[in-house]
Amino acid sequence: MDSALAPLLVSVLCLVAAAAAPAASAARAFFVFGDSLVDNGNNNYLLTTARADAPPYGIDFPTHTATGRFSNGLNIPDIISEHLGAEPALPYLSPELQGEKLLVGANFASAGVGILNDTGIQFVNIIRIGDQLQYFREYQRKLRALVGEPQATQLVNQALVLITLGGNDFVNNYFLVPMSVRSRQYALPDYVRFIVSEYRKILSRLYELGARRVIVTGTGPLGCVPAELALHSQNGECAAELTRAVNLFNPQLVDMVRGLNRGIGADVFVTANTYRVNFDYLNDPQRFGFTNVQVACCGQGPYNGIGLCTAASNVCDNRDVFAFWDAFHPTERANRIIVGQFMHGDTDVMHPMNLSTILAMDQEAASRV
């Protein structure tokens, strides 16, 4: 072979190989687990009443269509993806999640689920957290087939993971009906200890499956959502027992996560104090540009907190001045405030570090490799 042609041939072969292999995503992969606060459409593919695939859901989404997100527009994972410089991860059940779309990550969340398998049983066919983790294993098999074992392992290890659980274990389990099975089985403090211990098993399993950067959200002010105000409030005060439950759960969650990190010897898990973030704008709405933090934008009955958000519901004209979209879920505007605190909040909000710090640290570490 002419020695002058050898470098050219090598260059051509490298270009061909690069074109044949799937391109690595410029942004890190993102995986999402949990409930309706972070579900972006998995329940659309299931026979369940826990759905958000009809108007007016999605009224402010870029396509102005209902996508399965429990929001007027973008939800928390969507906005985190913006900060990552990535497109939103697709629902795991979406038939579009194949090929290079796998490199973006996947959203395994399913509205109605909780830490416990008996949470949300009234919704029948939802992806319980054990099944979400099983789907994560299945996803990794698909990823290995696409890019090979070493690159697949690296993608998962370097990915950002978000998990949001716990709220439904109170509103759709312990407090779902008077004298519920779990409330007869456990006093509230004992129940909280039980679900935190079960959550620890879930997070340990995530770590075993390769997750190394995991944001674990606490539970927001459940007693203050329009659905609970409609049922329990006389003068706009938050429901006392749910507030007590949250005040028991969140500190124990933080302690449990710190214990996990100590055992691992690294800050794998980062807790997000969503109660504090929500409480800030519920307590001082004008500072955040809200005019209404008790009535849902979409709904009916007292506080628009009765029943589902449907085409027959009252719908506010300006979603940006409402904190709640429906009886339980924030508006896109509120979601942006929440994610802003994930990105830049102090250690009272994000412990031991906020997401901006995580991204900067990881980028610096990657540049040294």
Side-chain angles (χ1 to χ4, degrees):
M1 181 186 294
D2 189 330
S3 60
L5 291 176
L8 177 62
L9 181 58
V10 170
S11 297
V12 170
L13 287 173
C14 288
L15 286 171
V16 170
S25 173
R28 72 197 297 170
F30 185 30
F31 301 109
V32 182
F33 301 85
D35 56 28
S36 58
L37 290 168
V38 293
D39 182 358
N40 69 344
N42 279 309
N43 281 20
N44 295 356
Y45 303 95
L46 304 173
L47 290 173
T48 178
T49 56
R51 300 170 74 102
D53 58 346
Y57 285 98
I59 190 171
D60 298 310
F61 195 73
T63 58
H64 303 290
T65 55
T67 61
R69 293 163 171 83
F70 286 75
S71 173
N72 59 301
L74 302 183
N75 65 7
I76 287 170
D78 293 324
I79 300 163
I80 291 176
S81 291
E82 288 182 351
H83 286 282
L84 294 177
E87 61 187 277
L90 287 168
Y92 184 69
L93 298 184
S94 169
E96 295 176 34
L97 185 63
Q98 55 184 308
E100 292 199 7
K101 292 289 186 183
L102 291 167
L103 301 176
V104 177
N107 187 317
F108 302 92
S110 178
V113 306
I115 296 164
L116 304 181
N117 282 335
D118 56 297
T119 291
I121 55 172
Q122 70 273 29
F123 302 124
V124 187
N125 192 16
I126 51 181
I127 312 171
R128 306 197 183 281
I129 189 60
D131 295 324
Q132 291 183 33
L133 295 176
Q134 188 61 35
Y135 280 147
F136 189 32
R137 288 188 64 185
E138 186 179 279
Y139 160 88
Q140 291 187 45
R141 285 197 295 271
K142 295 176 183 177
L143 186 65
R144 287 193 295 271
L146 180 70
V147 299
E149 178 92 36
Q151 190 176 338
T153 300
Q154 183 182 43
L155 183 144
V156 171
N157 288 165
Q158 294 179 351
L160 182 69
V161 178
L162 173 69
I163 184 165
T164 296
L165 290 171
N168 283 324
D169 294 286
F170 296 113
V171 298
N172 282 311
N173 193 329
Y174 194 87
F175 293 109
L176 179 62
V177 293
M179 299 299 291
S180 68
V181 172
R182 289 297 190 183
S183 68
R184 283 184 277 118
Q185 186 179 11
Y186 293 102
L188 183 59
D190 297 327
Y191 180 69
V192 169
R193 281 190 289 272
F194 171 57
I195 62 174
V196 169
S197 69
E198 292 299 300
Y199 205 170
R200 190 182 194 282
K201 298 173 187 175
I202 292 164
L203 296 181
S204 296
R205 184 69 183 129
L206 255 184
Y207 180 77
E208 291 169 3
L209 290 170
R212 294 296 181 267
R213 283 294 192 198
V214 185
I215 298 174
V216 184
T217 68
T219 299
L222 297 175
C224 306
V225 301
E228 299 305 326
L229 295 182
L231 291 173
H232 303 295
S233 183
Q234 299 298 317
N235 300 299
E237 74 281 2
C238 301
E241 277 299 284
L242 270 168
T243 300
R244 177 172 167 246
V246 171
N247 288 337
L248 288 168
F249 176 78
N250 284 337
Q252 292 185 44
L253 176 66
V254 171
D255 288 345
M256 178 268 284
V257 166
R258 287 177 178 171
L260 273 176
N261 284 341
R262 280 195 302 271
I264 293 166
D267 291 325
V268 170
F269 300 99
V270 174
T271 53
N273 187 346
T274 46
Y275 182 90
R276 154 78 187 279
V277 177
N278 281 265
F279 184 81
D280 283 351
Y281 64 70
L282 295 180
N283 195 47
D284 189 5
Q286 289 185 330
R287 182 160 71 94
F288 294 89
F290 291 123
T291 61
N292 205 313
V293 295
Q294 293 186 318
V295 177
C297 171
C298 181
Q300 46 279 315
Y303 302 96
N304 275 347
I306 302 296
L308 302 172
C309 170
T310 70
S313 298
N314 308 309
V315 181
C316 66
D317 292 326
N318 185 359
R319 272 75 66 182
D320 283 346
V321 297
F322 279 71
F324 289 101
W325 161 243
D326 63 13
F328 286 102
H329 303 98
T331 55
E332 177 181 328
R333 174 80 196 295
N335 283 330
R336 288 193 175 278
I337 292 170
I338 293 166
V339 175
Q341 286 296 300
F342 287 3
M343 292 297 300
H344 306 294
D346 59 25
T347 51
D348 286 339
V349 175
M350 299 291 290
H351 189 276
M353 69 193 96
N354 62 35
L355 186 49
S356 290
T357 303
I358 291 170
L359 297 180
M361 285 174 53
D362 290 351
Q363 185 174 12
E364 183 180 347
S367 69
R368 292 198 302 265
V369 175

